[in-house]
Amino acid sequence: MTAVTVLGLGEAGRLYALGLAEAGADVRGYDPYTDARDAGIRQFDSLAESVDGTDLAISLVGAAAARSVAEQILPLLPSNAVFADFNTAGPEDKAALAELSAGYGVALVDVAVMAPVPRAGSRTPLLVSGTAADRFAALMEGFGTPVETVPGAPGAAAGRKLLRSVFMKGLAGLVLECRAAGKAAGAEEWLLAEIAGELGPDGPDLVARLLQGSETHAVRRAHEVADSLAYLRGLGTPAWMTEGTFSWLSALAADGTGPT
């Protein structure tokens, strides 16, 4: 049985832990700030115990804590384990983690989660890059997770996700701006219906998800768009739309509602 350690048992971590366990993995959880035992997760109080003999360690602790957690776990991981960083960050951050991991002789893979985890749990589509990408893909596909490998070192998958975020978060920013303008003009419902119609049969649900998701996850998404902005600037391409998206999400993060 494949042993998988999930580091970070927030919403996404819990869903991965439960989904992988249901798919047949020997799942261990670790999170010093959250107790997920009531959810049915086998959680350890000791980081060393949680990774003892593990085949795959998944970090879902958030970009701000990713390096500090890596520094704690890498000396404890078996040399044949794969360390998978699922946290959304820029390519340079992922490359720095890979360099740190290499110093301990542990293979790190850069994993980009390509859709909201609550929709499909551990079966959410993933992109992965790094020298152990094929090993990681084989492990996860064995549990029913769709994985696409991206050529290149850690950071390549992160870059692809940030490019996609330019569109997806930009679409959300555009809908937010249209809603505000429609409300000011007394035509909010009409305008949102027009937008939904242009987006096809699933348009109404998509518009609702874009609005609700932006409001619920504004802080995290603002950080993601900030990373996208930095990536675009590094590429030397215009980022006019993404700057507007960042303004909208930052406003939502600041007061929970944004300008309406």
Side-chain angles (χ1 to χ4, degrees), residues 90-93 162 166 223-237 239 242-243:
E92 291 183 359
D93 294 325
L162 293 179
V166 170
H223 284 298
E224 183 175 328
V225 173
D227 287 333
S228 295
L229 270 173
Y231 188 47
L232 293 181
R233 287 166 180 159
L235 293 173
T237 59
T242 307
E243 287 168 356

Side-chain angles (χ1 to χ4, degrees), residues 124-200:
T124 303
L126 304 174
L127 291 183
V128 60
S129 63
T131 56
D134 289 338
R135 285 172 57 198
F136 172 82
L139 287 171
M140 294 299 289
E141 287 170 348
F143 300 124
T145 303
V147 181
E148 178 184 351
T149 59
V150 178
R160 295 276 182 100
K161 176 170 182 174
L162 293 179
L163 289 174
R164 186 175 184 274
S165 291
V166 170
F167 171 73
M168 289 304 300
K169 304 306 182 290
L171 182 59
L174 183 59
V175 172
L176 287 165
E177 192 156 314
C178 287
R179 181 179 67 174
K183 184 174 182 179
E188 179 182 358
E189 292 186 8
W190 172 84
L191 184 54
L192 291 180
E194 286 290 302
I195 294 168
E198 292 294 332
L199 293 174

Side-chain angles (χ1 to χ4, degrees), residues 56-92:
L56 172 65
I58 294 174
S59 177
L60 274 163
V61 298
R67 186 173 181 90
S68 64
V69 170
E71 290 171 344
Q72 294 174 58
I73 189 176
L74 285 169
L76 304 173
L77 282 175
S79 60
N80 63 340
V82 175
F83 182 42
D85 185 76
F86 276 51
N87 303 297
T88 299
E92 291 183 359

